[in-house]
Amino acid sequence: MKQEAHIKFRIRAADPALGQQHLLSDSEHDRLAGMHEGARPAFVTARTMLRAELGAYMGLTAAAVPLEQEGAGRISISGFQPGEPPFFSVSHTGAAEAGIAAVATTDATPIGIDIQQVDHVIDWRRVAERRFPERECSLLAAMPPNEGRLLFFTLWAIKEACVKLEDGTLMPYLRGVEVEFGNGQFRLVAPTPRGLETVSIFFHYVPEFELAVACVSRDPVEVFLDCSIEPPTPKPDPLSNTASGP
């Protein structure tokens, strides 16, 4: 019996020990070495999670998956054409000892994911006024502060997930992706900046970590969320850059 298509969406605490960094490629080690110490655990955790998922799909070891990335652009698999499965997306957030990494994979449809931790310092109302569509701003302005803040970060996560789905850039999507909420679901009010009239939007909130989670797919497909965030014991940054030298 053919297995029903689905999206596998995993969320984990970042490992401050960078325990799986040996699975990274030379180019990923170069990228890692140039990062601020606080960003390294979530990067390594997300990349090694992605390598493990894609390796299982492709019949390769995690280290052998031929990932490519130019600059800050989309991650791709060497030899695979755009629009060819497997489809995947990654996201990470937080500092070295509180980072969180997320990876989603599927062979069914293009996807984008994003995770956002609620920030109690940012002036979210002002950001919404400057970046979000008028309809969303009006809704946020009418809400109590705590509920409005949570909705703001949920909307932001959905918009960033749309950026990754369409390989776009953030600013046009903050205002250009307009969604409304009803009957327990978010849906597009207007087409995305690249013309999608409908998308499937999955969202979730993890209250213990104040984490807004979003997954957007081109076609409707069931999302299997595997969220297990167990903060590890803080450790010093154990970076060991094994990339080849000049």
Side-chain angles (χ1 to χ4, degrees):
M1 181 180 295
K2 184 178 180 180
Q3 187 176 16
E4 184 179 357
H6 64 274
I7 295 169
K8 187 176 181 181
F9 193 163
R10 297 180 62 202
I11 303 176
R12 295 290 186 270
D15 174 16
L18 310 186
Q20 298 296 306
Q21 62 182 298
H22 63 281
L23 299 176
L24 302 181
S25 67
D26 283 355
S27 63
E28 287 169 329
H29 274 289
D30 288 340
R31 184 181 295 270
L32 179 65
M35 287 182 174
H36 184 275
E37 178 179 332
R40 291 171 182 163
F43 172 80
V44 172
T45 302
R47 283 299 176 94
T48 54
M49 286 170 60
L50 177 62
R51 286 181 164 278
E53 294 294 333
L54 294 179
Y57 179 91
M58 301 168 67
L60 299 173
T61 64
V65 176
L67 293 181
E68 295 182 336
Q69 183 178 14
E70 292 187 10
R74 177 187 287 270
I75 306 168
S76 60
I77 306 173
S78 178
F80 283 63
Q81 298 300 315
E84 179 182 0
F87 305 102
F88 57 90
S89 186
V90 301
S91 183
H92 38 80
T93 186
E97 295 174 1
I100 299 173
V103 169
T105 56
T106 182
D107 61 0
T109 183
I111 58 174
I113 67 168
D114 191 62
I115 58 175
Q116 293 286 329
Q117 284 186 289
V118 173
D119 186 334
H120 291 269
V121 176
I122 188 175
D123 186 349
W124 58 270
R125 293 186 187 276
R126 179 172 174 79
V127 175
E129 289 172 357
R130 296 176 61 187
R131 301 298 185 190
F132 283 10
E134 184 176 349
R135 183 199 300 258
E136 293 175 355
C137 290
S138 298
L139 174 61
L140 290 168
M143 298 181 71
N146 288 340
E147 288 83 352
R149 181 182 293 108
L150 175 56
L151 179 58
F152 169 81
F153 282 99
T154 300
L155 290 172
W156 192 289
I158 291 171
K159 293 167 189 281
E160 282 223 39
C162 287
V163 171
K164 296 174 184 178
L165 170 65
E166 296 192 316
D167 197 20
T169 54
L170 179 60
M171 290 307 171
Y173 280 72
L174 293 179
R175 190 171 296 277
V177 170
E178 184 175 356
V179 298
E180 65 179 9
F181 183 78
N183 298 321
Q185 296 292 327
F186 285 101
R187 70 174 186 86
L188 290 180
V189 174
T192 66
R194 297 200 174 178
L196 282 177
E197 296 185 357
T198 61
V199 294
S200 182
I201 301 173
F202 169 88
F203 69 98
H204 182 71
Y205 180 62
V206 185
E208 302 93 324
F209 298 91
E210 295 190 291
L211 187 72
V213 175
C215 177
V216 177
S217 58
R218 187 189 63 191
D219 305 303
V221 62
E222 187 172 6
V223 177
F224 291 169
L225 180 63
D226 176 10
C227 180
S228 179
I229 306 172
E230 298 179 4
T233 302
K235 297 179 180 178
D237 184 335
L239 178 63
S240 59
N241 186 358
T242 59
S244 56

